Amino acid sequence: MKVHQKVVSKSKGSDSRSSVPHFDTNASAIKENIIHHLLSFQGRDPERSGAPDICRALSYTMRDILVEKWIETQKTFYAKRKKRVYYLSLEFLIGRSLMNSVINLGIVEDVKQAVADLGYDLTEICENEEDAALGNGGLGRLAACFMDSIATLKIPAYGYGIRYEYGLFNQQLVNGNQVEMPDSWLRYGSSWTFDRPMPIFPVKFYGHVTSEADKQGNYRAKWVDTTDVMALPCDMLIPGYKNDHVINMRLWTARASRELDLSYFGRGDYIGAVESKVSSETISKVLYPPDHNLAGQELRLKQQYFFVAATFQDIMRRFKKKPKSFDMFPERVAVQLNDTHPAIAIPELMRLLLDEEGLGWEKAWDISTKTFAYTNHTLMPEALEKWTVELLGKVLPRHLEIIYEINLRFLEQVAQKFPKNVEMQRHFSIIDEGPPKQIRMAHLAIVGSHSVNGVAELHTNLLKTRIFKEFHELYPGKFNSKTNGITPRRWLLQSNPELADLISTNIGFGWITDLDQLRNLEPLADNAGFRQTWREIKTANKRRLAKYINEHTGISVSPDSMFDVQVKRIHEYKRQLLNGLHLIHLYHHILKQGDEGIAPRTVVFAGKAAPTYWRAKLIIKLICEIGEVVNNDPRVNGRLKVVFLPNYNVSQAEIIMPAADLSEQISTAGTEASGTGNMKFSLNGALTIGTLDGANIEIREEVGEENFFLFGMTAEQAEFERLAPSRTPKQVCENSPEITEVIDSIAKGAFSKGDKQLFKPLVDSLLDPNDQYLLMLDLESYLECQRKVGAAFIDADNWTRMAILNVAGMGKFSTDRTIRQYSEEIWGIPVE
């Protein structure tokens, strides 16, 4: 079978050995290449192949095209000697890659035709692709959106992480209980990854540290008697939008330093022969091993250091290709730490510069701090990562020494600013004296970076004024805000193609790479014909989701009802429980007063709870049991349906977001760093009910206060209520018979088949005067706001107008804007 390709013409003076095959992208050539890959890669008879075979063959075909463009992109990096950005993230929630690649390559129609000629529909083919399970939630999906924008803006950059064999977990619901199953996304391999035979790097663990004086009499440390694990690179290619620019994520796989220790065989210890190999390769097996025990904590620390150490060996390899002074390192290398997970990179770079390159401390530290920038993603003190000194000293003894030295020198600076103030030194210290003694990784990241950014304006202000107030005073100008975003290519152009077509037909295609152009939709909000077409598209998306819901849960829902959606990680601060209380309230209202004047609702939940987070899993159980009662009560007459979709992932989100009418963003004010689900919903025309938390504040500013359903306390009010409560949950109940009835119905077993103990922990948490998430204190405001939502939905024409204005106001929330700010304001790379 002939593969359609032609050799790119070589520029004058070029070496013929560097020529790159050029793959034709017309429909005929794509079809022939699909057939070629069916035969050569899969050993399949094209006449007997099915949709999964075509999906894999088409993926290989797209990868061929991407490789060609990636090679050319890399050549430009080297030719122009550009500064490179290294984005270090323990998660990249990529989802599916096929349709995204087809769209960004700009060959949708040719691919559709090629697939149609083989008897298939492109949408059907793409459904056969497995989601790349390389992340958990918002942090990992943000990293994936960043990669798309970095490629689209032609920034010379790489993503670095781990190629997990198993994702977080596959969630199943059994009688309303979350059950975790292995998520083996690589069981059939991946068409998108390149396993590289080189470079392979050793990564050290354990051992101990010795010291000696070098020829100049300087102290030099040696990390010896270590246990080594090999890091093998695997590349995934990320195309920019219609610009021939392709970057890569380099993901590391752990392998034993030698396949088998044959000395075990001589002693008859056959299990011991493979034990070391299995132990080494566990590092890249599972995303986020449980850390409630010491073994899990040690494995997670090893994961973090493993990918950091391999990455910096790769960075050094690239930097040293042309001899240059290490003074040039920050001018050639920018490293962004996506949260504290990669913060061990700071002592790792210091180790390399001190121990391997022979630099002095002051020069090494100057290079290091100019290289690193740190993104903080949390306002929750318990989520600020710490490692015990004992564990870190055991696994990474040299890094513990370096961290102590960093802390010693840092505290000397603190002492100069706050002389004789021991308490202030204790507050600033990278070492929490405990017990137990712990390394505060966020403190290390702040001290070791030249930039620290929050991910929304409120988040950054709270970092400056509450979480890291003293650091902000010590380092004026270091803290800055970079509001998160989403890529419009994935979250509108790909996931909602009919709406994207309507927008493009009316305002042009420029919005795809310049989302601010969506402002041109504002006049169309008053156009009756445009609103009608908009509603028809929304209804079609709701029919698609209704079909998906029925297939996966057996529940039938009406596309004519309001699709009220809350999909995100299950956590107490995200307050899915507050939503559940409204469901019970609405159920009681329908039973008492009938459905007259009540907008019909389908309330959709999705999200995973951490396996050891029993209270979050109990919230899932309650929501499912509420659904069981409500959905089967004939008195409700279909006016209210409750759905919990299992196994939430990127592909599921691409079906849910375009169908949503109402987006629930109801976290306690001051707890959500930013959120990006709120942006995805708004970009697809859902209205938001939410608190003044995270990016909700900025969304409300952009779309207009009148187009946002606001309830609840501000962050300042919430903080005051925690310190000096104005009322207790019990008093809230005493003042509202309706709320009392809601709480009593849970307590008395109305949603647990009479079992009064099942949900008692949730009832106790709701009535606890020390509830840090303040559910009961926000409940009255939430219920009143939901009444306004219901009334607004009945006026379909005005609701559509509000939805259009929501989309029109979303220009700020493109990751293109976010990445441009990172590049120009943090990394020092101007965007063309």
Side-chain angles (χ1 to χ4, degrees), residues 143-292:
C145 284
F146 275 5
M147 291 297 104
D148 178 272
S149 286
I150 285 170
T152 297
L153 294 174
K154 291 190 171 183
I155 296 169
Y158 309 84
Y160 276 92
I162 295 177
R163 186 196 192 192
Y164 302 102
E165 186 174 338
Y166 294 91
L168 181 66
F169 57 81
N170 188 302
Q171 180 195 52
Q172 296 182 10
L173 297 175
V174 179
N175 296 323
N177 296 296
Q178 173 179 290
V179 176
E180 299 89 18
M181 304 292 288
D183 184 9
S184 181
W185 73 283
L186 287 172
R187 58 187 174 275
Y188 303 121
S190 171
S191 309
W192 298 104
T193 56
F194 282 102
D195 291 316
R196 301 290 188 184
M198 59 181 298
I200 300 175
F201 298 118
V203 177
K204 299 179 178 182
F205 296 101
Y206 309 115
H208 61 275
V209 181
T210 62
S211 61
E212 62 183 21
D214 64 14
K215 294 179 181 179
Q216 288 74 40
N218 298 315
Y219 170 86
R220 294 293 176 225
K222 283 191 174 182
W223 187 10
V224 298
D225 297 332
T226 57
T227 300
D228 294 357
V229 175
M230 307 308 294
L232 279 67
C234 164
D235 289 340
M236 292 185 73
L237 304 184
I238 311 293
Y241 180 71
K242 292 187 177 181
N243 64 357
D244 294 328
H245 190 89
V246 176
I247 62 171
N248 66 292
M249 295 190 313
R250 178 151 287 182
L251 307 174
W252 300 102
T253 300
R255 289 288 181 266
S257 57
R258 48 183 173 175
E259 283 299 300
L260 292 175
D261 188 339
L262 295 179
S263 65
Y264 285 98
F265 279 91
R267 301 193 299 269
D269 185 1
Y270 306 117
I271 294 176
V274 297
E275 194 172 50
S276 175
K277 174 179 169 63
V278 170
S279 176
S280 297
E281 298 179 2
T282 299
I283 291 174
S284 59
K285 284 287 182 185
V286 181
L287 169 70
Y288 286 171
D291 63 352
H292 61 285

Side-chain angles (χ1 to χ4, degrees), residues 334-371:
V335 176
Q336 190 70 40
L337 305 175
N338 192 27
D339 217 357
T340 54
H341 305 133
I344 197 68
I346 294 169
E348 172 63 7
L349 178 57
M350 288 296 291
R351 184 187 72 83
L352 292 172
L353 295 175
L354 295 169
D355 300 352
E356 304 293 333
E357 305 299 335
L359 274 61
W361 182 276
E362 288 77 10
K363 186 172 184 179
W365 185 245
D366 181 62
I367 291 169
S368 184
T369 54
K370 288 178 179 176
T371 298

